[in-house]
């Protein structure tokens, strides 16, 4: 679906945001008149209160400039923030994308509202149809074009260009996540990242031989039962001053997680196609930054592996030597994400010299139990980083919630045979996983771990702006955090 901005246009459908006072906006008056008062009657007789998210779709007579008029509940004007507007746009696409009409005009009072609603439209219009060969025409969207009608179209367009780049990142992350694991495995994932070069991102791909030389026994251990070669992809976006250190974004990219020899139950295992959600988030963010030519230096590093049971797989009891030199007793081969991240974190610090690190990983089922699907778990010793990411999360709707790190949890990683084991105990599974990662982060390095196992795909009630299986969590959060904290402010 194409999105445009204009000050007036004729379209098949015209949508208006209605305040809770239920007054008809000026731009809607001509439609009301030509229809013999259908709009004002609808407002006074139907159960339409203007509450946010409400939608009332009205058929217009021939004499009108549109075949359909849609009234959108905008809620209280003073509460109409970015997320409220996104939901309005999302609800509109959900209700009318398959209406049979092609062209939609959305009228708003301000450029800001127009840009935010446009974001909602775009987020909700995402589809992943690659593998359907027999779709009925009525299941396909008819909507081809949405035009936002607002006072300052240049301003709206400008805003949307910035925000839209982050949504391109969301789309990219969703695509990577939704792909089935026979199609998207480490080598094909890496190949897709090569496409970022077209936007000015430097992309380097390391294979197993390179990683052997680096001593990355922990990451390689996870991949050794797979027929697919493991990869490490480094993506560098250099939009900031030459001398400033990059921010490093590190992602878990387990393209499929069977659990390995500690195999998972079969029910629901297909969801483990999404166990590369961290890597998808990092990749999407790099695309966002490049698309809007962000004035910051950011390096993304993704560890791509497949966790399979095989005669060559790692076993419970095996001891791996990580690139940092620390040894790890594998007590559960299903706790593989942390083994991958251990070596990628080491590489990030040794070769990219970052000023801060954020890692993202679908790391533990325990974080889903703790926080459900509406906040990622955040772990950090830096109050400042935690606060900045929380703020970006509230604005973008990709929310985070801080959980603790503490010495007592670290002790649960003690092993009889090696420097540590890869699981804690029965308790605090997300925290012990974070403590494990912390052992691979240099003293004093500002670091945040985001456990996104609950938010990378959402079960149950989903927003209209999250229409496919994968949510595409990450790029909007990280793009906003980088814009607010690592780029010169524009205003
Ligand atoms: N990829 C899983 C975590 C996960 C679970 C992500 C559910 C998304 C939804 C991870 O590799 C895993 O298997 N973790 C284990 C750790 C345990 C063995 C210590 C878990 O959470 O059960
Ligand atoms: Mn696992
Ligand atoms: Zn996993």
């Amino acid at each position: 679906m194409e999105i445009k901005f204009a000050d007036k246009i004729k379209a098949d459908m015209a949508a208006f945001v209605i305040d809770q006072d239920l007054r008809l906006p000026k731009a809607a008056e001509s439609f009301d008149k030509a229809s013999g008062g259908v709009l004002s009657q609808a407002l006074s007789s139907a159960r339409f209160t203007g509450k946010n998210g409400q939608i009332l779709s009205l058929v217009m007579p021939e004499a009108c400039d549109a075949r359909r008029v849609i009234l959108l509940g905008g809620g209280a004007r003073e509460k109409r923030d970015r997320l409220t507007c996104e939901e309005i746009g999302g609800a509109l696409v959900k209700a009318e994308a398959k209406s049979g009409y092609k062209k939609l005009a959305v009228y708003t009072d301000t450029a800001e509202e127009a840009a935010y609603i446009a974001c909602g439209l775009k987020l909700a219009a995402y589809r992943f149809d690659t593998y359907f060969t027999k779709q009925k025409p009525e299941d396909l969207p008819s909507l081809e074009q949405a035009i936002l009608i607002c006072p300052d179209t240049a301003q709206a367009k400008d805003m949307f260009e910035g925000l839209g780049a982050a949504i391109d990142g969301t789309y990219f992350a969703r695509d990577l996540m939704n792909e089935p694991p026979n199609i998207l495995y480490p080598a094909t994932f890496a190949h897709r990242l090569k496409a970022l070069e077209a936007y000015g991102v430097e992309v380097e791909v390391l294979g197993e031989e390179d990683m052997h030389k680096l001593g990355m026994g922990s990451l390689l251990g996870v991949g050794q039962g797979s027929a697919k070669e493991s990869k490490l992809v480094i993506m560098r976006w250099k939009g900031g001053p030459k001398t400033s250190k990059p921010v490093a974004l590190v992602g878990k990219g387990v393209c499929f997680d069977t659990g390995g020899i500690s195999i998972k139950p079969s029910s629901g295992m297909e969801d483990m196609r999404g166990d590369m959600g961290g890597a998808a988030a990092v990749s999407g963010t790099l695309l966002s930054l490049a698309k809007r030519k962000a004035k910051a230096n950011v390096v993304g590093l993704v560890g791509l592996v497949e966790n399979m049971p095989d005669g060559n797989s790692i076993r419970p009891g095996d001891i791996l030597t990580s690139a940092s030199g620390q040894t790890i007793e594998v007590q559960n081969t299903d706790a593989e994400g942390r083994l991958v991240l251990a070596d990628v974190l080491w590489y990030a610090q040794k070769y990219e010299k970052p000023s801060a690190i954020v890692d993202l990983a679908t790391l533990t089922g325990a974080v889903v139990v703790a926080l459900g699907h509406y906040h990622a778990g955040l772990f950090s010793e830096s109050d400042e980083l935690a606060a900045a990411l929380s703020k970006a999360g509230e604005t973008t709707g990709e929310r985070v919630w801080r959980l603790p790190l503490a010495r007592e949890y670290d002790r649960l990683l003690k092993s009889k045979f090696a420097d540590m084991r890869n699981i804690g105990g029965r308790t605090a599974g997300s925290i012990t996983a974070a403590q494990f990662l912390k052992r691979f982060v240099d003293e004093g390095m500002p670091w945040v771990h985001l456990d996104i196992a609950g938010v990378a795909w959402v079960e149950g009630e989903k927003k209209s702006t999250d229409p496919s299986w994968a949510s595409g969590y990450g790029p909007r959060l990280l793009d906003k955090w980088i814009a607010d904290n690592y780029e010169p402010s524009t205003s």
Side-chain angles (χ1 to χ4, degrees), residues 49 51-52 59 65 161 174 197 205 251 290 309 312 315 340 364 381 404 422 462 478 487:
T49 59
K51 220 182 93 188
N52 185 38
V59 174
D65 267 357
E161 247 157 52
R174 286 176 182 173
E197 287 176 340
V205 181
N312 194 40
R315 294 151 287 250
V340 173
T364 65
E381 281 179 338
N422 73 331
K462 278 163 70 87
L478 297 171
E487 294 182 57

Side-chain angles (χ1 to χ4, degrees), residues 4 39-40 52 61 75 109 130 136 141 161 167 176 185 214 291 302 316 366:
K4 283 189 180 171
L39 275 60
S40 38
N52 185 38
D109 286 343
T130 317
K136 298 194 192 95
E161 247 157 52
I167 302 175
L176 291 166
Y185 47 89
L214 292 162
K291 278 220 163 179
V302 296

Side-chain angles (χ1 to χ4, degrees), residues 103-167:
K103 206 166 160 182
L104 165 72
V106 188
Y107 293 79
T108 72
D109 286 343
T110 69
E112 262 197 356
E113 268 182 32
Y116 291 148
I117 291 176
C119 288
L121 294 169
K122 182 164 172 174
L123 283 164
Y126 173 85
R127 295 178 63 91
F128 186 78
D129 292 345
T130 317
Y131 300 99
F132 291 114
T133 64
K134 293 187 277 210
Q135 272 178 307
K136 298 194 192 95
E138 64 267 31
D139 289 336
L140 295 170
S142 56
L143 192 60
E144 290 172 359
Q145 211 182 49
I147 304 107
L148 284 295
I149 317 284
C150 63
D152 190 344
T153 54
Q155 191 201 336
K157 223 179 125 187
D158 230 45
M159 268 187 86
F160 180 67
E161 247 157 52
L163 297 163
I167 302 175

Side-chain angles (χ1 to χ4, degrees), residues 252 254 257 264 272 275 334 336-337 362-363:
K252 168 180 173 182
V254 176
D257 180 15
K264 289 182 181 294
M272 286 300 123
D275 208 20
D334 198 11
E336 84 298 342
T362 49
L363 205 62

Side-chain angles (χ1 to χ4, degrees), residues 95 102 206 327 334 357-358 374 414 434 485 488:
K102 290 183 183 168
L206 305 189
T327 55
D334 198 11
I357 306 177
V358 177
Y374 309 108
K414 204 166 157 47
N485 296 280

Side-chain angles (χ1 to χ4, degrees), residues 40-114:
S40 38
Q41 278 169 46
L43 284 180
S44 59
S45 62
R47 265 190 198 171
F48 185 85
T49 59
K51 220 182 93 188
N52 185 38
Q54 273 190 336
I55 240 184
L56 194 58
S57 191
L58 306 166
V59 174
M60 292 289 106
E62 281 295 332
C64 269
D65 267 357
R67 301 281 53 78
R68 207 177 264 205
V69 164
I70 301 133
L71 306 179
L72 306 164
R77 176 168 286 265
E78 62 282 1
K79 285 195 200 147
R80 204 174 300 151
D81 57 6
R82 170 167 166 175
L83 295 179
T84 318
C85 289
E86 278 184 9
E87 276 165 42
I88 293 173
L92 186 51
V93 164
K94 197 172 173 185
E96 304 295 343
K98 296 176 188 173
S99 61
Y101 295 111
K102 290 183 183 168
K103 206 166 160 182
L104 165 72
V106 188
Y107 293 79
T108 72
D109 286 343
T110 69
E112 262 197 356
E113 268 182 32

